[in-house]
Amino acid sequence: HEPQAVSLQRVMEDNYCFNLKLEQFAQLANRSLSAFKRDFEKLYQTTPGKWLTEKRLQHAMHLLSTMDKTVGEAAFESGFENPSHFSRVFKERFGIAPASVKQPFTG
């Protein structure tokens, strides 16, 4: 099963920034949706939805802190369609608003 695990991992790593539905990720990985979810949770020990959100938030943090992207650009390039949803989940995850990542810390 190793080649399948590798291909599932490659599909996820290569495509997490695209706003695809789980069915589309499953199709890219040559699996039914149920097989995709089962194999995914075996590989990552979490759900595809949680993994995608975390991966996208980490990518957005990188874009905001090192690439001088706007909040909207970072949201879109990380696979979030809705900037206000992005801002809310970003703040929940990191404890700060995405806009404040761009500002130098004082104090």
Side-chain angles (χ1 to χ4, degrees), residues 4-29:
Q4 271 196 325
V6 171
S7 68
L8 176 63
Q9 198 166 8
R10 186 172 298 121
V11 163
M12 297 311 294
E13 294 290 338
D14 290 351
N15 296 290
Y16 72 87
C17 283
F18 299 107
N19 191 18
L20 303 174
K21 293 179 170 27
L22 287 185
E23 292 83 358
Q24 293 167 298
F25 282 111
Q27 198 172 21
L28 287 171

Side-chain angles (χ1 to χ4, degrees), residues 67-80:
M67 308 294 281
D68 201 36
K69 298 283 185 180
T70 67
V71 171
E73 289 169 337
F76 180 73
E77 291 178 29
S78 300
F80 290 93

Side-chain angles (χ1 to χ4, degrees), residues 4-105:
Q4 271 196 325
V6 171
S7 68
L8 176 63
Q9 198 166 8
R10 186 172 298 121
V11 163
M12 297 311 294
E13 294 290 338
D14 290 351
N15 296 290
Y16 72 87
C17 283
F18 299 107
N19 191 18
L20 303 174
K21 293 179 170 27
L22 287 185
E23 292 83 358
Q24 293 167 298
F25 282 111
Q27 198 172 21
L28 287 171
N30 292 320
R31 288 167 171 79
S32 67
L33 182 59
S34 58
F36 169 77
K37 288 179 179 175
R38 183 187 63 238
D39 293 350
F40 186 96
E41 291 187 29
K42 203 181 298 175
L43 185 64
Y44 289 104
Q45 284 80 51
T46 189
T47 65
K50 287 180 184 168
W51 184 89
L52 282 166
T53 299
E54 178 64 21
K55 193 80 173 160
R56 289 170 176 168
L57 287 172
Q58 293 289 347
H59 185 66
M61 175 62 92
H62 171 74
L63 292 176
L64 289 169
S65 58
T66 64
M67 308 294 281
D68 201 36
K69 298 283 185 180
T70 67
V71 171
E73 289 169 337
F76 180 73
E77 291 178 29
S78 300
F80 290 93
E81 275 194 336
N82 182 325
S84 60
H85 168 73
F86 163 72
S87 292
R88 192 180 78 244
V89 295
F90 188 98
K91 187 166 177 151
E92 283 173 15
R93 169 63 178 86
F94 297 112
I96 54 171
S100 60
V101 173
K102 298 176 62 66
Q103 300 166 358
F105 295 106

